[in-house]
Each structure stands twice: as structure tokens, then as C-alpha cells.
């Protein structure tokens, strides 16, 4: 069976989701591999959302927020910025390629940039291959 | 034979013995338990053989307190046996509740553990290849030892558990409360965490809390701390914001950061992820390079974040090859 990467995107409402919307209304083509979840701010993306996405079958997770300085709640994206390096360290320690999770700043006017990021990440996930976590957790309960 | 006496068993799986000592630390109280109950099995403190438990009728025990994680076939066998024979089975202490310190072994493999313990250690004679095997033949006899599993499990991974008592080890005063609740039949709905609080540790901590902004993290010995002020504000790692209270805030009261042994606070899905959020939010920088440098002063993050509960985390263990 051919492998199509499953990408979950958490997008902040004010910049990045609007940017993705612009990509749509401008009819910019980008891979259909992304499933977008709209949140109010990139700070709302609890690290457990990302772990849960990977644990439930996502091959990658994209986090998008307003550019630094532009967050609708002024400081929210800095919180996302500070969590990200630690999250990458956590994934490495779990033996999961940290490239599966990516943080990008996308403004409301950057429809093209959003499309490019999704296309690029989809290709990288294709090269990385499927994330095995979900199957591993489902099949190895009480591995003796 | 007083038919009304409570029939109880205590067992240790993959544990250090601290949970059993905590039960003994209830002092005179444990003697009153002895009067009100028959202790049918307690490997660390009383006689009692597995065969005696096997010979019991199902449900004959009123209460079993199981401490320790499930690491080998003996732990699993006794877990299943006690489940069958007990009306109430309690996961007692961090290891049975969440996997505990032994659960950190899920970041490595059985092969690596064996290689370190039996082949690679400096105290082992070079060339020695003696590794334990579940079955050995000696002089025509077959000897068996428990089989070491590939991973460490929580008690609830192998059997149905009625209640969870957190803590490494559980606080003696909380143990009393739990035992009294059992005697009086005043237990909350099944599957509850008992002998703990519904608040976070920070809610109960008396230290002064103002603004949290740190430029670096310190190991406890690297800094002279202010005994009145929030430890996190001083850059000392403390799991308080993500952790369930109930221990009496013992560590912060002794000038140590909370290590998280009471497990995730109510409503928290992943202890380490919640702690990750908390600790990142206090970093005083908006510059990715500086943030990296500040985080660099935080060693072994996964070991801090899941010190007592890796097997209970969303991702549970190390993945990949
Ligand atoms: S609103 Fe966009 S990152 Fe906060």
C-alpha cells in the first residue's frame, strides 16, 4: 500500500488560519495531506496535543502562529516558541524523529508561504516514512 | 478464627521496598490494623506463602495493596492471583500506579539492560558471559527464575485495579486514611485516586509566588536558595504546577523541588507534557538562540518530566529500533 503522510496542523485563528484561508480563496494548490485544527492562539497548543496526535496516527504535526511580535494576545507565540525546543528534545528521547514536528510563523497575508510549508513538510514526511508509534502502542501491549 | 477480621495482603512487584516501609511508618497504627485484620501475605514483614494464597477461595481477601511495577513474570502472576482472590485491589505507590522509577527503563531495551548489568559493568570479569535465563539445567534438574519482560508495566496494564494510592512512597498519614476508609466502607467510586488531593502541589505550597522569569536553571546544589520564595522563580526545577498534591508538600518544604511522585494533577493527560508547558513559560527570553541556551541548563529533560510515570505517558516508552 502506498504511503500518504498524515499531517495534523494546529493553526492560530488570527494569523495562520487566515493565511491558510487565503491560500484557499487564492486557489493556491497544496497537498491534501494536512488536517487543520483551528485554535485561538499558538499558545493554546498544549504539548500533549502533539504527543496525542503522534500517538493516534499522525505522521507529523505542524504548529503555526503569528510572527513574533504579532500575536493577537501579544505574548502567546513566545510561549509556543519556548516549548518547541524542549518538545524536540522530548521526541528525540522517545526515539521519534523531531523533524515530525515543526513550528512556523505564518501571517494572514502569507497564503503562498502556508502552501509552501505544507508542501515541503509533506515531502519531508514522505521521505521519513510512516510514524510507527500508533501501531507499536496498539500491538505491543504486554510484550513479554 | 474471628470471621469478621479483615483479610488483607500486601505485595511488592518491581519496587525498592520504600512503600512497605511507609506502611510500617504508620507506627502504632499498623498494630491496630493487625488487631482488626489478618495479614495473609506480606513478603517484607510477615510469613505467608504463594501457595496459601493459591489455596484461597476467589474473593476471600478483602483488600490487597500491590506496590511496585510489573517487570517480570512473577510480578504478573501474583498480580493476577491477588486480583482473583481480592475484593479490592489497590495500586499502591508510584510504581504500581504509574510505573514509577523502574518505568524509566522503558527508555532503553532489555538487551541493553542485560549488557550493562551482566556483561559490561566494570566489576565483571572480562569475557564473562553469564546472563540469567528463565530456565537452567543443573545436575539433571530444571531450575526456573521469573522471566524478565521487555518493558515495565503499571499494575493496571495487566489487571483491573480498583483504586490508586499515589506517592513514592505514599504518605503514612494518607495510608491511614485509606485503610480507615476501607474499614468503614467509605471509599469513593471505583478507579479513583485515593489518599491524595484534587489540587496541584502549588495550590498547597506556602512559598511566596510572584513573577516567574528565569534566565537559567540551577541544580539544587548550585544555588543558595531563598527558603520563602517559589523554587521555580529561583530557577530550581519543581514539578509542582503539573503534580497532584496530597504529600503534604514535603519536598518544597525541605528545600527541594517537587519530583512529581504523586503523578499528574487531576485533569492532566500527560504529566511530562504539562510540565513542559509550565517550565517553558517561565523562561525569560524572546530570542530562539537564548531560549536554547537557557534550556541547555536543564539536564535530562525526559528523566525529569516522567521520573515516576513514563509507562503512563501518552507515548509510553522509547520507540524505533
Ligand atoms: S494569536 Fe496567533 S499566535 Fe497568538
Amino acid at each position: 500500500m502506498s504511503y500518504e503522510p498524515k499531517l495534523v496542523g494546529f493553526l492560530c485563528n488570527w494569523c495562520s488560519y487566515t493565511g491558510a484561508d487565503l491560500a484557499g480563496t487564492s486557489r493556491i494548490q497544496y497537498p491534501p495531506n494536512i488536517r487543520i485544527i483551528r485554535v485561538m492562539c499558538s499558545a493554546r497548543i498544549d504539548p500533549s496535543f502533539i504527543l496525542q496526535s503522534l500517538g493516534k496516527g499522525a505522521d507529523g504535526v505542524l504548529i503555526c502562529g503569528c510572527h513574533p511580535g504579532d500575536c493577537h494576545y501579544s505574548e502567546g507565540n513566545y510561549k509556543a516558541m519556548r516549548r518547541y525546543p524542549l518538545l524536540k528534545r522530548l521526541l528525540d528521547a522517545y526515539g521519534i524523529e523531531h523533524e515530525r514536528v515543526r513550528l512556523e510563523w505564518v501571517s494572514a497575508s502569507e497564503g503562498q508561504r502556508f502552501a509552501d510549508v505544507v508542501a515541503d513538510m509533506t515531502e519531508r514526511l514522505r521521505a521519513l516514512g510512516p510514524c510507527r508509534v500508533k501501531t507499536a502502542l496498539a500491538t505491543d501491549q504486554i510484550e513479554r | 478464627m474471628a470471621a469478621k477480621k479483615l483479610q488483607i495482603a500486601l505485595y511488592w512487584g518491581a519496587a525498592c521496598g520504600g512503600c512497605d516501609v511507609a506502611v510500617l511508618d504508620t507506627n502504632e497504627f499498623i498494630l491496630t490494623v493487625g488487631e482488626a485484620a489478618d495479614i495473609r501475605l506480606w513478603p517484607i514483614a510477615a510469613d505467608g506463602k504463594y501457595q496459601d494464597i493459591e489455596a484461597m477461595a476467589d474473593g476471600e481477601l478483602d483488600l490487597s495493596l500491590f506496590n511496585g511495577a510489573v517487570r517480570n513474570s512473577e510480578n504478573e502472576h501474583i498480580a493476577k492471583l491477588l486480583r482473583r482472590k481480592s475484593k479490592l485491589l489497590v495500586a499502591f505507590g508510584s510504581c504500581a500506579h504509574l510505573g514509577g522509577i523502574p518505568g524509566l527503563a522503558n527508555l532503553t531495551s532489555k538487551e541493553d539492560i542485560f549488557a550493562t548489568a551482566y556483561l559490561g559493568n566494570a566489576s565483571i570479569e572480562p569475557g564473562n558471559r553469564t546472563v540469567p535465563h528463565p530456565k537452567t539445567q543443573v545436575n539433571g534438574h530444571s531450575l526456573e527464575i521469573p522471566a524478565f519482560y521487555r518493558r515495565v508495566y503499571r499494575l493496571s496494564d495487566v489487571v483491573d485495579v480498583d483504586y490508586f494510592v499515589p506517592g513514592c512512597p505514599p504518605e503514612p498519614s494518607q495510608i491511614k486514611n485509606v485503610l480507615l476508609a476501607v474499614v468503614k466502607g467509605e471509599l469513593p467510586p471505583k478507579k479513583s485516586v485515593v489518599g491524595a488531593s484534587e489540587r496541584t502541589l502549588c495550590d498547597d505550597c506556602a512559598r511566596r509566588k510572584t513573577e516567574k522569569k528565569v534566565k537559567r536553571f540551577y541544580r539544587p546544589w548550585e544555588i543558595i536558595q531563598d527558603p520563602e520564595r517559589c523554587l521555580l522563580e529561583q530557577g530550581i526545577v519543581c514539578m509542582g504546577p503539573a503534580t497532584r498534591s496530597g504529600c503534604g508538600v514535603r519536598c518544597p518544604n525541605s528545600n527541594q523541588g517537587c519530583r512529581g511522585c504523586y503523578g499528574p494533577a487531576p485533569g492532566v493527560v500527560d504529566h511530562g507534557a504539562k510540565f513542559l508547558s509550565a517550565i517553558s513559560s517561565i523562561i525569560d527570553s524572546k530570542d530562539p538562540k537564548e531560549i536554547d541556551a537557557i534550556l541547555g541548563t536543564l539536564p535530562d529533560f525526559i528523566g525529569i518530566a516522567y521520573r515516576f510515570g513514563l509507562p503512563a505517558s501518552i507515548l509510553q516508552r522509547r520507540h524505533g529500533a
Side-chain angles (χ1 to χ4, degrees), chain A residues 46-49 52, chain B residues 242 264-274 306 312-314:
Chain A
D46 190 287
S48 67
F49 296 177
Q52 238 155 0
Chain B
V268 170
V269 265
D270 190 287
H271 202 183
K274 192 52 88 189
Y306 297 106
S313 70
I314 292 171

Side-chain angles (χ1 to χ4, degrees), chain B residues 128-147:
Chain B
N128 190 327
R129 315 284 316 158
T130 315
V131 215
H133 291 285
K135 274 202 179 99
T136 324
Q137 296 292 329
V138 181
N139 300 334
H141 298 282
S142 167
L143 301 178
E144 285 183 27
I145 57 169

Side-chain angles (χ1 to χ4, degrees), chain A residues 43-56 68-69 74-75 78-97 105 132-144, chain B residues 76 80 107 110 148-151 153-154 157-158 213 269-270 272-274 276-277 279-288 291-292 295-302 305-306 310 313-321:
Chain A
R44 179 64 185 87
I45 305 158
D46 190 287
S48 67
F49 296 177
I50 293 146
L51 304 182
Q52 238 155 0
S53 306
L54 295 169
K56 291 191 170 173
S74 81
E75 301 267 310
Y78 291 116
K79 294 205 192 301
M81 180 196 271
R82 289 170 200 141
R83 285 172 194 156
Y84 182 56
L86 215 41
L87 189 66
K88 285 198 285 186
R89 261 171 75 183
L90 198 66
L91 292 175
D92 285 338
Y94 268 124
I96 296 165
E97 303 89 346
W105 311 124
R132 303 158 304 267
V133 176
K134 182 186 175 186
T135 356
L137 292 180
T139 52
D140 74 3
Q141 269 309 342
I142 312 304
E143 195 184 353
R144 289 174 173 96
Chain B
E76 188 185 6
K80 290 189 166 152
L107 290 174
K110 174 178 172 177
F148 190 90
Y149 287 168
R150 304 201 68 76
R151 304 195 207 299
Y153 300 98
R154 302 171 281 182
D157 288 326
V158 300
K213 272 180 179 295
V269 265
D270 190 287
K274 192 52 88 189
L276 191 159
S277 266
I279 197 112
S280 318
S281 66
I282 69 171
I283 292 169
D284 183 17
S285 174
K286 294 177 176 175
D287 167 46
I291 293 172
D292 268 348
L295 288 172
T297 60
L298 200 58
D300 182 26
F301 183 69
I302 196 166
Y306 297 106
L310 189 79
S313 70
I314 292 171
L315 300 178
Q316 296 178 25
R317 61 175 176 86
R318 192 173 164 84
H319 292 267

